[in-house]
Amino acid sequence: MTMLSRPVYGVLTPQTGKNHLLIADADGASAITDFAKKAPPGFFASAEIMYLDGPDGAKNVQALKALSPARFYQGPSIAAALPRLRQLLAESHMGLRLYVAGTEGLIGQIVQIANEAGIEYTAVQTEHRGSLARRVQCVHCKGITENVTTQPCTCAHCGLLLLVRDHYSRRYAAFQGVCINAEDPTEIPPTEEIFR
Amino acid sequence: MGINFRQETFRDDYSFKNSPEQIRRFPFPFPEDKYMYSVNIEPHVPGLKDTVFEHLFDVDEHYISEMQDRALVLAEDPLRCQSLPHMELAGWDTLELLMTEKAKSYPDLFTLTRDGDKWHWINRPLGIDDHFTFGDSSTLPYGPLEYITRQSQGDFAVLDQRDNNLWMDAGIVTTQADWSLDFDIGMNFFEWHAPVPLAHQMGVFTRALKFLMAMQQGQPSRRHNWTMTINSRLDTSPENFHKWGTDRATVTPENVGQKVHLRVEVQMFFRLPRSNALLFPIRCYLLKMDELVTSPKWARRFHRVLRDLPNELAEYKGLVRYRPTVVEWLSKYDDGAPTSAGLGPD
Ligand code: HEM
């Protein structure tokens, strides 16, 4: 049985409305080009695409530009795009339709930012593409480790060896990491690459 | 009546223990010789003399020491008490319920005087005497939820009810069986219960949620939950797991009696009047194995429960490392005789 705190992702589907914001990383760009095949004519004339480079740099940028959105933004990271995104969300009022495609980390963080702007997670269209790398919050020191691909992982902040649980917090946009050898610190389980 | 408050610790030298009277009133949670999850909800009706259910909110000999332990936890980690902005009113509801019930149940310990929204609260065991304006947080040293739950044993979760679900949008959690309020805050009923094995498939949570959503004010309910704790530590939090986890590896046949505790939670459900939120007090009671076996019935029954506990539950509750040692120790107190019906010690 899958963990019920984990988000469920769908397939991006065009919504009615006059104001669309599509956000993708390098892995999610292909979801937007697939989505474009289903979108009604003229859809992108009322849309902004925000493209955020992945860990391996930019990919598929030209295909997104070719959709001729009303505005196109390319930024190096979520952190860099945050001021622009916050303003867009704050000024959007009720009519904005939000779509996010890409890695779980990207989707989680955009849903988190949207929630702070008053947009419910259920109102965000999401599609997962690409890496299964996880954002992990250490339950002990509260620090977040990005792009975790191994089980267990080492907390980038306090250095504890963490079991990466499936329990997920939307508020932190992160999975929970709990010390894996707390009962016997001399036990060092083998590290496996599993979130790829 | 007069409660003899014990001066004791739940950390470092672990001087916690129960008086013989407190052992007799321990809320033993097993109606049968076996245990499995179920929708074990019953009305929370006060009046049962010499049990923890004599009053709606039980105050016992550990009160002062438990409140001191809570203060230590909060000083170290303020994230143990949180309230999303829309939960302020539910905080006042909680304060009202706890103050009025405490003053009614224990008039020699607590006094509440109300003159419109000018309230006067006296808590004698903790030496508190405060005047404040109901509804105005600036007249209290903490928010209303934190103020009153720093004076009330047990953890408290406050659930907002909307979109056909309950949302954990406020709480104070310092005596928990290994879950994090900070991580779970904002989650709905199914999300915060996600890590629990088997119960989802059994339909326990769907039925329980339906019941809770329909609850009415003035008709509280309760249920039991249980686990085990090594050393009398109240704060078995995931936050500090790397500090207390090693305790689980210290159980030997010689120290089971003093080191190993049955940890029972009396969980209650109250509908709150103004906010329509649900208040979920989680009251934790600890009992040493030496104390448990003073009741031959409890000893026999708990031996059987622990021995036959499904592995999924043992794993989830974190008992795996020491279960065999404790079962072996308890077996000396189980002659195979049948156990009587009911929860009492006989
Ligand atoms: C609405 C109030 C409730 C709250 C706030 C609450 C909260 C929790 C939390 C935080 C956990 C720990 C989950 C984890 O592992 O992280 C838990 C466990 C559990 N809850 Fe609840 N719960 C509530 C009501 C109920 C009800 C009504 C039932 C069933 C009738 C129930 C059944 C359980 C069970 C079976 C477990 C596993 C406990 C164990 O094996 O030790 N809960 N609950």
Side-chain angles (χ1 to χ4, degrees), chain A residues 1 3-6 120-121 137 139-142 160 165 167-172 174-185 187, chain B residues 77 79 82 84 162-163 167 180 182-188 190-192 194-195 200-201 238-242 245-246 248-249 318 321:
Chain A
M1 184 157 178
M3 185 65 69
L4 289 171
S5 53
R6 274 195 82 167
E120 286 267 359
Y121 70 96
Q137 190 203 30
V139 76
H140 311 290
C141 78
K142 309 284 179 184
L160 283 175
R165 299 182 72 195
H167 198 24
Y168 182 88
S169 159
R170 213 178 298 115
R171 202 173 63 109
Y172 276 119
F175 291 88
Q176 190 176 63
V178 181
C179 183
I180 198 167
N181 53 0
E183 295 187 11
D184 179 358
E187 280 175 8
Chain B
D77 182 3
L79 296 176
Q82 299 193 36
L84 297 183
R162 63 188 138 83
D163 302 335
W167 302 81
S180 167
D182 181 48
F183 193 76
D184 285 3
I185 201 154
M187 289 189 190
N188 69 36
F190 299 111
E191 291 170 344
W192 80 63
H200 292 275
Q201 297 89 315
E239 277 82 356
N240 288 330
F241 182 44
H242 57 308
T246 47
R248 287 180 174 165
R321 200 176 286 266

Side-chain angles (χ1 to χ4, degrees), chain B residues 37-41 157 159 166 168 179 184 189 192-193 195-196 204-205 208 212 223 225-226 269 280 316-317:
Chain B
Y37 294 144
S38 63
V39 188
N40 53 339
I41 306 178
L159 301 322
L166 293 169
M168 197 185 288
W179 65 280
D184 285 3
F189 191 79
W192 80 63
H193 278 125
V196 180
V204 165
F205 291 121
L212 296 179
R223 65 181 289 269
N225 190 37
W226 71 278
F269 309 93
F280 183 64
Y316 173 77
K317 291 174 188 285

Side-chain angles (χ1 to χ4, degrees), chain A residues 135-160:
Chain A
R135 260 167 73 85
V136 175
Q137 190 203 30
C138 173
V139 76
H140 311 290
C141 78
K142 309 284 179 184
I144 287 185
T145 304
E146 304 276 354
N147 291 314
V148 169
T149 56
T150 63
Q151 179 72 288
C153 75
T154 301
C155 175
H157 304 265
C158 70
L160 283 175

Side-chain angles (χ1 to χ4, degrees), chain A residues 18-30:
Chain A
K18 294 200 160 53
N19 189 3
H20 305 271
L21 175 60
L22 300 97
I23 305 176
D25 57 17
D27 290 314
S30 61

Side-chain angles (χ1 to χ4, degrees), chain B residues 12-23:
Chain B
D12 307 323
D13 64 342
Y14 299 106
S15 61
F16 162 90
K17 65 177 189 169
N18 292 297
S19 67
E21 304 75 57
Q22 181 74 2
I23 295 174

Side-chain angles (χ1 to χ4, degrees), chain B residues 221-235:
Chain B
S221 299
R222 66 170 180 249
R223 65 181 289 269
H224 288 95
N225 190 37
W226 71 278
T227 185
M228 295 175 77
T229 302
I230 306 310
N231 299 329
S232 56
R233 184 189 294 268
L234 283 176
D235 178 30

